[in-house]
Amino acid sequence: MVNRVLMWAAASPRLQRQVTENPVARRAAHRFVAGARLEDALEAAAELNSRGIGSILDLLGEGVEDLSGVGHAVAEYEEATQAIAAQGLDSTISIKLSQLGQTVDRDACVANLGRILGGAKAVGVRVEIDMEDSTLVPDTLELFREAATAHPQTRLAIQAMLRRTPLDLEALAPLKPRVRLVKGAYAEPVELAQQGKGEIRAQFKFLTDWLFRHGVDPAFGTHDDELIAHARKAAVQAGKGPEDFEFQFLYGIRRDLQRELVDNGHRVRVYVPFGSAWYPYLTRRMAERPANLLFFLRALVGR
Ligand SMILES: Cc1cc2nc3c(=O)[nH]c(=O)nc-3n(C[C@H](O)[C@H](O)[C@H](O)COP(=O)(O)OP(=O)(O)OC[C@H]3O[C@@H](n4cnc5c(N)ncnc54)[C@H](O)[C@@H]3O)c2cc1C
């Protein structure tokens, strides 16, 4: 129920305006979002690096519907890659194709993606591609396939909850894809996606084993202890060492576990969202864990 209300809240422009214009709400969001500016994200990345943790810079914003918004996102990402290289940070960037014009002008999106990938490669920064809702999955896979042929370092997020995912991965196998495996953050209909926690976990474990056999340098984007334990065990069974894969976390979540993994020699990378468009991101995080909603409401009323 809370979950459904939050998914509704994520899509409500009116509520979004009311919350994002509230300075107290903006401050409370800082637990999960580095800040509004690129400098805030770079600072967060440097702090993570000082603790032996890599970062993934993510400019918040999705479903950009006008080309000026697209131009702004492309420029921000280019600036981010330049700054990461200039400051010698251990950081990738992660992009959403809908920010690059995927649903407005696909040719422009292809050109923008090529521009970002080319620029990042020139300064030695890796690029990751987020996976968005199921309407964008087929095209995102297609664009990844084209991108990964020219830029094999590119990593794609793949959602374990989607029923189609095992077949999608089989189709990508010849590319030896770099994948970030996640459960999936979007509300999807039962025909397209597993709904039960147990089923999603089972598929995540199956895909983890698959990635150790067919992928390159897999990343596991989860805070779920059971899935992290499974990946550690599966790596040993596949003859992989801790340098052959990484765990990825969201900013502000399970810092205890991040530390424990680093202390045990694992590679850890934290996804650092920044930018003014933090509202849909934050409501998705609250839908995953209603305790975060309580945290946010308490911060709003100053307790
Ligand atoms: C690095 C990274 C990148 C991602 N990229 C994408 C993407 O491109 N596309 C996409 O659809 N999804 C993405 N996701 C989100 C993902 O799909 C899940 O929605 C999210 O990770 C929650 O699932 P979980 O595996 O952590 O398991 P859950 O069952 O949600 O959580 C397991 C445990 O982790 C902790 N936890 C989880 N979430 C939170 C939270 N919000 N606040 C506090 N504690 C929490 C709790 O202890 C919880 O019991 C990404 C996640 C990560 C970590």
Side-chain angles (χ1 to χ4, degrees):
M1 174 67 184
V2 176
N3 214 301
R4 237 176 282 140
V5 171
L6 283 165
M7 286 301 187
W8 165 82
S12 160
R14 189 157 153 257
L15 193 59
Q16 169 160 354
R17 228 178 11 258
Q18 283 171 354
V19 175
T20 53
E21 283 169 8
N22 179 328
V24 184
R26 282 209 296 269
R27 266 201 307 280
H30 274 205
R31 172 169 166 188
F32 303 105
V33 176
R37 302 161 316 144
L38 172 60
E39 289 71 32
D40 300 321
L42 293 166
E43 241 172 64
E47 192 276 325
L48 287 162
N49 285 187
S50 73
R51 292 190 281 123
I53 297 173
S55 69
I56 308 164
L57 300 198
D58 164 59
L59 170 67
L60 291 169
E62 50 202 84
V64 177
E65 274 158 19
D66 62 282
L67 287 176
S68 72
V70 169
H72 170 74
V74 173
E76 281 259 27
Y77 275 122
E78 288 185 309
E79 207 185 324
T81 49
Q82 297 294 329
I84 288 168
Q87 297 186 21
L89 293 170
D90 172 11
S91 186
T92 64
I93 59 165
S94 197
I95 56 183
K96 285 189 171 56
L97 296 182
S98 71
Q99 282 178 312
L100 306 190
Q102 187 177 24
T103 57
V104 200
D105 180 342
R106 192 175 185 277
D107 289 345
C109 177
V110 171
N112 289 331
L113 179 60
R115 192 166 140 186
I116 291 175
L117 289 173
K121 189 179 187 177
V123 294
V125 173
R126 293 186 181 189
V127 177
E128 315 197 11
I129 300 176
D130 285 353
M131 188 60 86
E132 299 177 70
D133 72 72
S134 59
T135 61
L136 297 175
V137 169
D139 192 48
T140 301
L141 288 165
E142 194 49 46
L143 289 170
F144 170 73
R145 178 183 288 285
E146 287 162 25
T149 308
H151 302 276
Q153 308 284 35
T154 314
R155 188 188 290 288
L156 177 67
I158 288 280
Q159 298 161 334
M161 71 189 288
L162 292 187
R163 298 185 193 281
R164 57 176 293 158
T165 291
L167 288 178
D168 288 339
L169 278 183
E170 281 297 340
L172 289 177
L175 275 180
K176 294 261 168 217
R178 281 191 142 76
V179 166
R180 172 204 307 153
L181 184 62
V182 298
K183 284 183 182 169
Y186 297 84
E188 300 288 358
V190 65
E191 311 82 74
L192 299 182
Q194 313 270 11
Q195 309 287 321
K197 268 185 180 275
E199 285 137 341
I200 298 172
R201 275 206 182 113
Q203 178 130 299
F204 196 111
K205 289 179 187 171
F206 169 79
L207 296 169
T208 297
D209 299 348
W210 188 96
L211 285 170
F212 278 125
R213 283 200 308 278
H214 305 286
V216 169
D217 188 21
F220 303 100
T222 179
H223 317 95
D224 189 323
D225 291 303
E226 187 178 321
L227 297 181
I228 289 172
H230 179 86
R232 291 171 86 170
K233 211 162 77 199
V236 174
Q237 280 163 358
K240 307 283 182 190
E243 66 288 353
D244 297 322
F245 65 104
E246 72 183 25
F247 290 109
Q248 298 188 344
F249 287 74
L250 298 177
Y251 188 69
I253 298 178
R254 295 297 311 266
R255 285 175 62 136
D256 56 331
L257 188 53
Q258 296 170 21
R259 161 79 18 231
E260 188 207 313
L261 289 166
V262 170
D263 288 348
N264 281 289
H266 286 287
R267 278 165 46 201
V268 175
R269 203 170 273 288
V270 168
Y271 186 93
V272 178
F274 72 99
S276 52
W278 47 265
Y279 178 83
Y281 176 86
L282 190 72
T283 39
R284 274 204 298 279
R285 300 293 76 85
M286 291 199 263
E288 278 156 14
R289 191 165 158 80
N292 289 336
L293 176 60
L294 279 182
F295 164 86
F296 189 70
L297 293 175
R298 259 196 232 118
L300 275 184
V301 294
R303 298 161 121 229

